[in-house]
Amino acid sequence: MPDLLLELFSEEIPARMQAKAADDLRRMVTDKLVAEGLVYEGAKAFATPRRLALTVHGIPARQPDLKEERRGPRVGGPEPAIQGFLKATGLASISEAKIQHDKKGDFYIALIEKPGRAAIDVIAEMLPVIIRTFPWPKSMRWGARSAKSGALVWVRPLHAITATFGLETEEPDVVPFEVDGIKAGQTTYGHRFMAPGAIAVRRFEDYEAKLKAAKVILDPQARKDIILEDAKELTFAQGLELVEDQVLLDEVSGLVEWPVVMMGSFEKEFLAIPDEVIRATIRNNQKCFVVKDPKTGKLTNKFVLTANIEAPDDGKTIIAGNERVIRPRLSDAKFFYETDLKTKLEDRLPKFEQIVFHEKLGTQAERIKRIERLAAEIAPLVGADVEKTKRAARLAKADLLTEVVGEFPELQGLMGKYYALAQGEDVSVAAASEEHWKPQGPTDRVPTDPVSVAVALADKLDTLVGFWIIDEKPTGSKDPFALRRAALGVVRTILTLDRPLNLVELFDKACALYPPKLPGEENTEAYAAHLFSLKPDTGPARPERYYVSVGLLGFFADRLKVQLREQGARHDLVDSVFALDDDDDLLRIVRRVEALGKFLDTDDGKNLLAGTKRASNILAIEEKKDKREFDGAPVVALYKLDEEKALAKAIDQVKSEASTAVAKEDFAAAMSAMAKLRPAVDAFFDKVKVNDDDPKMRENRLKLLNEIRAATRAVADFSKIEG
């Protein structure tokens, strides 16, 4: 079957846009082919700085013929309906329609036969639309045509279109179409400098080969492999080691069509700067890789660059040019670093009084004071020294005002650690400057030093509570203040800590540090009560901002589900444990979920779950019918059958044993106690008629079913468990 080759040749496409653009081109073309009945065998897209390319193989030469039956109006129906039917189906008269009989009457049926078109004609029709509607993040117009209405917009000026279609054994045809004066052909161009001439291509195989001969590596992954392997070989030859950087590699491979790896150097005096500053300077400003000494693990005064040309002087001019750019950049970085060292972190803090954190939550200085006080309260709970924790919390944000962080924001925290160590701070205090920001994402490490843990928790909890109080919660996919990430960071930190921490108590401590009234808000307690639609007497006794804590607890439950799901746990088990509302300790909740999961994998667990759900379903039906709940203790004197008595006895025993085990945090024992309920529940449903003819008997047995539900709630709300 025929293959399609498409290339869109333009000026340089930004590296950050290339991968998505290639994927968009593949998706848009193949989706349209399938929609037109042209089911293909395979497709692959490519991108270089100057071109997007696509090959689709195994496309049918023609569309399949279409036969369709379309039902029309009832025989004898209104004339306008019949005329509309004729117009829609292309029939000349109603006599050309068939009549179909069914139980609702007789209806006209039109048999529409539409012969398929040649695939090349379909492709020629769809490609101009795809090119004109291509979803670039940013696009432009150019040249004389740009002044005309409907002019083509593209990421950069589009110069040529290559489009061929045909069998492998035959000379392919050029797909006949034109976009904004650019006619499709079979001519492309090689490397801008080393082989700029026109190249005639037929199909993908010779297209890729001819481009390579013209100094263009079409496949982005092949360019990455060349850059990485050549860089490793070049550094290894000098006894050094490349500092790998996947993000930078992805970007650099999008800047060159013919990668040539070279090595440059800079003055050793710049090695006095922290390695991370050197790397950020060279990486951000010149897109070069840094090199380290494998013996010491420290950076050397070498860097690896990737050129887009084989220079006649073996790249000496290119290397010198890069060195000439990097040298003043490093000089600036060195100046910033040395300037920062002249001012102590603590002396920078007054400036935070003029920096607003949020218009409703006050200044950064006020926030730092809250974090310091909250961290001091958390410190004993995580085994941290209180005074060190307070000091760490006070200094943790100070590096935000330094010159280096102003130039390289990604170094926030890390520079704080370096500056704290330079001014003689305790190692734990210094480490907290960097670690309190962590984890930044699902793969980032969590803080482990107790001082860092206390400051990290205080920082994230203050943010969460504050934005909850002013009702700036995440909505849908929008989370402008990264509150989901903060909550997940708290969850991961607490689980890694392996210490019991009561979430609601932490929320309440954080709430208490906010003033009763915030700028632009009414009394926050009343506001929160309205926000969560809860009455003051709802639930157990809590501090005054219980309402904020309730809302946050549900939010944390969702984040915990995300975390446990990634670890392979079932989200419904998390729901069933959180539904009890009797435990705010994440670690205990996780242990309970783990024990519940193991229990439900056993026959006892599966059967007890089925019995409990059966009891719940019966109760739900009867409660709806009687418009009442069957709570309260059953009357022992009304037990007639041995199975009733045995179930009541088993429930009493299980309640006691499971509650005792849960109190001791022995969740495995609690599940073992639950297993004792299973035989009694099975026997009850086998022998006992719940909806007895005697109303008193029926009510008593329904109350007994409610006791089953109540007994299982010692470990989880089984109604929330799927299956």
Side-chain angles (χ1 to χ4, degrees):
M1 286 192 287
D3 299 340
L4 169 68
L5 168 65
L6 173 66
E7 183 201 69
L8 303 170
F9 182 80
S10 70
E11 295 293 335
E12 274 71 9
I13 303 168
R16 68 182 183 280
M17 299 183 186
Q18 291 173 19
K20 184 178 185 302
D23 188 61
D24 285 340
L25 182 63
R26 179 195 56 77
R27 174 183 51 79
M28 293 174 76
V29 172
T30 55
D31 284 357
K32 188 62 176 175
L33 287 172
V34 172
E36 293 289 347
L38 298 170
V39 181
Y40 61 97
E41 292 179 0
K44 191 170 183 181
F46 305 89
T48 80
R50 303 177 70 206
R51 70 200 78 223
L52 290 180
L54 173 70
T55 175
V56 186
H57 61 272
I59 303 173
R62 295 186 64 83
Q63 287 178 308
D65 295 338
L66 177 65
K67 292 184 178 181
E68 177 186 3
E69 284 190 354
R70 186 174 298 181
R71 180 166 169 164
R74 189 188 300 272
V75 174
E79 185 62 23
I82 292 175
Q83 292 302 318
F85 173 62
L86 293 176
K87 184 177 181 181
T89 56
L91 298 181
S93 70
I94 199 65
S95 62
E96 296 180 5
K98 295 181 179 181
I99 296 177
Q100 185 180 72
H101 305 278
D102 64 23
K103 60 183 180 181
K104 293 185 178 180
D106 296 341
F107 292 86
Y108 290 116
I109 298 293
L111 181 61
I112 302 173
E113 295 188 9
K114 185 179 178 182
R117 294 190 296 159
I120 193 169
D121 294 334
V122 176
I123 293 169
E125 186 178 275
M126 73 186 200
L127 287 182
V129 177
I130 291 172
I131 293 170
R132 285 189 175 277
T133 59
F134 201 80
W136 292 108
K138 291 184 178 181
S139 53
M140 62 180 288
R141 295 182 296 174
W142 62 93
R145 289 180 176 272
S146 65
K148 297 180 181 179
S149 176
L152 175 67
V153 293
W154 197 249
V155 63
R156 294 291 185 270
L158 186 65
H159 291 316
I161 300 172
T162 299
T164 65
F165 182 76
L167 293 168
E168 185 177 351
T169 56
E170 299 176 359
E171 185 69 23
D173 295 318
V174 173
V175 182
F177 70 93
E178 179 180 322
V179 179
D180 210 39
I182 306 171
K183 293 184 68 173
Q186 53 187 118
T187 302
T188 186
Y189 301 87
H191 192 282
R192 181 186 288 275
F193 304 111
M194 293 190 290
I199 304 170
V201 297
R202 299 170 65 248
R203 53 180 49 84
F204 179 73
E205 288 73 18
D206 77 305
Y207 165 76
E208 186 177 30
K210 287 180 177 179
L211 279 182
K212 188 172 183 180
K215 305 298 184 180
V216 175
I217 303 295
L218 181 64
D219 189 345
Q221 187 57 52
R223 297 198 300 273
K224 292 178 191 177
D225 293 342
I226 291 170
I227 295 168
L228 185 59
E229 292 307 314
D230 287 359
K232 284 183 176 180
E233 184 177 334
L234 184 61
T235 53
F236 180 77
Q238 298 193 31
L240 304 173
E241 184 178 330
L242 180 75
V243 177
E244 295 187 34
D245 187 330
Q246 186 60 50
V247 175
L248 180 59
L249 180 62
D250 292 341
E251 184 176 6
V252 170
S253 70
L255 297 173
V256 297
E257 289 192 320
W258 189 257
V260 179
V261 176
M262 307 175 188
M263 181 178 286
S265 63
F266 54 86
E267 288 75 7
K268 289 187 177 181
E269 65 185 74
F270 293 122
L271 295 177
I273 310 172
D275 285 0
E276 293 83 359
V277 179
I278 296 174
R279 183 178 181 183
T281 301
I282 294 176
R283 181 187 194 273
N284 295 3
N285 292 304
Q286 207 59 18
K287 311 303 179 189
C288 294
F289 298 87
V290 292
V291 178
K292 66 181 179 181
D293 184 340
K295 297 176 183 177
T296 64
K298 300 290 290 180
L299 293 189
T300 67
N301 64 324
K302 305 286 186 180
F303 64 90
V304 172
L305 63 98
T306 307
N308 189 34
I309 189 173
E310 293 177 352
D313 62 352
D314 293 329
K316 292 178 182 177
T317 303
I318 295 174
I319 293 171
N322 278 267
E323 291 175 344
R324 197 161 50 246
V325 174
I326 284 176
R327 191 175 297 113
R329 297 291 188 177
L330 287 174
S331 181
D332 288 344
K334 185 171 183 288
F335 173 77
F336 292 152
Y337 177 65
E338 291 173 349
T339 300
D340 288 340
L341 288 174
K342 294 175 183 177
T343 305
K344 288 192 172 183
L345 293 174
E346 194 161 17
D347 293 340
R348 299 179 183 274
L349 298 181
K351 191 174 180 180
F352 280 126
E353 295 175 3
Q354 281 76 50
I355 299 175
V356 175
F357 171 65
H358 187 281
E359 61 179 355
K360 295 179 181 178
L361 298 177
T363 65
Q364 278 282 17
E366 291 170 326
R367 182 166 185 261
I368 289 170
K369 289 177 182 176
R370 290 196 303 269
I371 293 172
E372 183 179 345
R373 292 172 61 188
L374 182 57
E377 293 196 51
I378 294 174
L381 304 177
V382 299
D385 180 274
V386 174
E387 291 305 315
K388 289 182 181 179
T389 301
K390 290 169 66 176
R391 180 69 177 171
R394 191 178 310 130
L395 301 179
K397 306 288 185 186
D399 70 332
L400 294 176
L401 301 175
T402 62
E403 298 288 345
V404 171
V405 174
E407 183 74 12
F408 305 112
E410 68 270 25
L411 298 183
Q412 66 180 19
L414 178 65
M415 296 312 299
K417 180 180 76 171
Y418 284 135
Y419 296 142
L421 290 173
Q423 69 183 38
E425 298 290 344
D426 182 86
V427 173
S428 293
V429 172
S433 291
E434 178 187 14
E435 294 193 339
H436 86 282
W437 294 103
K438 298 183 177 298
Q440 293 281 347
T443 59
D444 194 17
R445 64 183 178 86
V446 298
T448 53
D449 182 276
V451 172
S452 296
V453 169
V455 178
L457 290 176
D459 180 33
K460 294 173 178 61
L461 289 170
D462 175 79
T463 299
L464 287 159
V465 166
F467 283 107
W468 234 256
I469 289 174
I470 62 173
D471 194 24
E472 290 280 0
K473 304 188 297 294
T475 56
S477 61
K478 295 181 179 179
D479 187 9
F481 303 109
L483 301 183
R484 292 189 181 96
R485 186 175 70 186
L488 192 55
V490 172
V491 169
R492 289 185 59 204
T493 301
I494 290 177
L495 295 184
T496 304
L497 186 63
D498 200 24
R499 277 175 176 260
L501 286 176
N502 186 293
L503 271 181
V504 170
E505 289 183 4
L506 294 178
F507 298 153
D508 292 338
K509 290 177 185 294
C511 279
L513 297 174
Y514 280 90
K517 292 185 180 181
L518 293 173
E521 295 290 353
E522 299 299 324
N523 178 277
T524 48
E525 283 74 50
Y527 173 74
H530 167 73
L531 176 62
F532 295 105
S533 301
L534 294 171
K535 296 178 180 178
D537 58 355
T538 301
R542 298 285 192 190
E544 57 186 4
R545 294 195 177 174
Y546 169 56
Y547 311 103
V548 173
S549 299
V550 167
L552 272 173
L553 193 61
F555 185 66
F556 268 74
D558 292 338
R559 305 281 71 73
L560 181 59
K561 279 185 240 176
V562 171
Q563 178 67 19
L564 293 180
R565 194 182 302 124
E566 290 178 355
Q567 297 174 359
R570 290 166 45 182
H571 67 87
D572 57 326
L573 302 189
V574 183
D575 283 338
S576 70
V577 172
F578 263 98
L580 300 182
D581 196 28
D582 67 348
D583 199 345
D584 304 328
D585 187 300
L586 291 182
L587 192 57
R588 280 202 301 267
I589 289 171
V590 170
R591 289 172 177 169
R592 191 182 292 203
V593 168
E594 290 172 349
L596 181 60
K598 291 178 182 177
F599 175 58
L600 293 175
D601 284 339
T602 66
D603 289 338
D604 282 341
K606 293 172 185 174
N607 290 327
L608 179 59
L609 175 62
T612 303
K613 283 187 172 291
R614 184 176 178 184
S616 296
N617 292 337
I618 293 171
L619 278 169
I621 293 169
E622 300 307 316
E623 286 172 347
K624 184 176 180 181
K625 185 192 301 181
D626 292 10
K627 297 180 180 178
R628 56 162 293 193
E629 293 184 356
F630 292 95
D631 48 8
V635 179
V636 176
L638 292 178
Y639 293 149
K640 274 187 176 182
L641 303 177
D642 291 341
E643 288 78 12
E644 290 177 280
K645 298 173 184 176
L647 178 57
K649 182 179 179 181
I651 288 172
D652 289 340
Q653 180 183 358
V654 166
K655 272 186 178 180
S656 175
E657 292 182 9
S659 298
T660 301
V662 168
K664 294 178 179 178
E665 299 186 24
D666 188 351
F667 299 112
M671 300 305 161
S672 297
M674 285 286 112
K676 298 176 182 177
L677 195 57
R678 177 253 175 124
V681 171
D682 291 347
F684 178 85
F685 281 120
D686 283 344
K687 301 295 184 181
V688 179
K689 178 183 178 183
V690 177
N691 286 316
D692 196 88
D693 296 332
D694 183 343
K696 290 185 178 179
M697 274 306 226
R698 171 179 173 272
E699 178 180 351
N700 207 57
R701 287 172 179 173
L702 288 171
K703 286 184 175 181
L704 191 55
L705 290 188
N706 190 59
E707 288 291 292
I708 297 175
R709 188 165 60 181
T712 56
R713 285 183 67 86
V715 294
D717 184 347
F718 275 50
S719 68
K720 302 286 185 183
I721 301 174
E722 298 174 359

